Amino acid sequence: SDVCSSDLAQPGSTATVEINGVVYPVTVNPDGTYSFTVPTNLPDGTYTPIITVTPPAGGTPVVTQGTSFTIDTTPPTIAITSDHTALYLGQTATITFTLSEASADFTDADVTVTGGTLGPLTQSSTNPLIYTATFTPAANSMTPAVISVASTKFSDAATNVNADGTDTNNTVTMTTSTVVVPSAGTLA
């Protein structure tokens, strides 16, 4: 992206842009316009370019800060935890989803659930990376409950999609026993 595309310099000037300690030459056009394209090899981070324009005939250079920009190529991830490892008849579990970075599109539809139902996600009012939901195991079942989020389900502000793959922390498994046992003397 351009960091100084609409700037003007006196025709005949020279210009440089410094980013992350590296100085890059900039071509000044005959009409005094110049632009600079950010190198593609910068690591993730926020940068503020330093623009130096030297007038023709070696006048005093003018140094200004360009518009800050952020490079983010790191995909977000998710960790899922439960406050229970086993659930019995009448019990529920609070499931916590912790994202590595903020997402505007993480929703209930991104979560795969077997062995029960998951209530709606609620985002923490104090930490936008944390969501919780209540899991209720299926009735009359001993099937393990599994809650997971696969890769490519949500994205960060830079539109990088989550890349959780086979991470062990993006799935929670709980044993369940919600089978109603008949009381003594009752025929099934």
Side-chain angles (χ1 to χ4, degrees), residues 16-28:
T16 61
V17 173
E18 180 182 340
I19 300 174
N20 205 30
V22 178
V23 177
Y24 301 91
V26 175
T27 301
V28 178

Side-chain angles (χ1 to χ4, degrees), residues 109-163:
D110 299 331
V111 183
T112 301
V113 179
T114 59
T117 58
L118 190 67
L121 291 171
T122 302
Q123 188 175 26
S124 168
S125 61
T126 58
N127 185 341
L129 304 180
I130 297 177
Y131 296 76
T132 57
T134 301
F135 174 79
T136 304
N140 203 26
S141 175
M142 294 188 69
T143 302
V146 180
I147 301 164
S148 64
V149 175
S151 292
T152 70
K153 291 296 183 179
F154 63 92
S155 60
D156 63 13
T159 68
N160 300 308
V161 294
N162 73 302

Side-chain angles (χ1 to χ4, degrees), residues 4-72:
C4 52
S5 60
S6 62
D7 293 331
L8 288 175
Q10 186 178 5
S13 298
T14 60
T16 61
V17 173
E18 180 182 340
I19 300 174
N20 205 30
V22 178
V23 177
Y24 301 91
V26 175
T27 301
V28 178
N29 300 315
D31 65 356
T33 61
Y34 60 93
S35 65
F36 174 78
T37 300
V38 175
T40 58
N41 63 343
L42 291 173
D44 285 5
T46 299
Y47 301 92
T48 302
I50 305 297
I51 303 164
T52 303
V53 176
T54 303
T60 303
V62 176
V63 179
T64 58
Q65 286 191 345
T67 303
S68 294
F69 62 93
T70 300
I71 293 178
D72 178 1

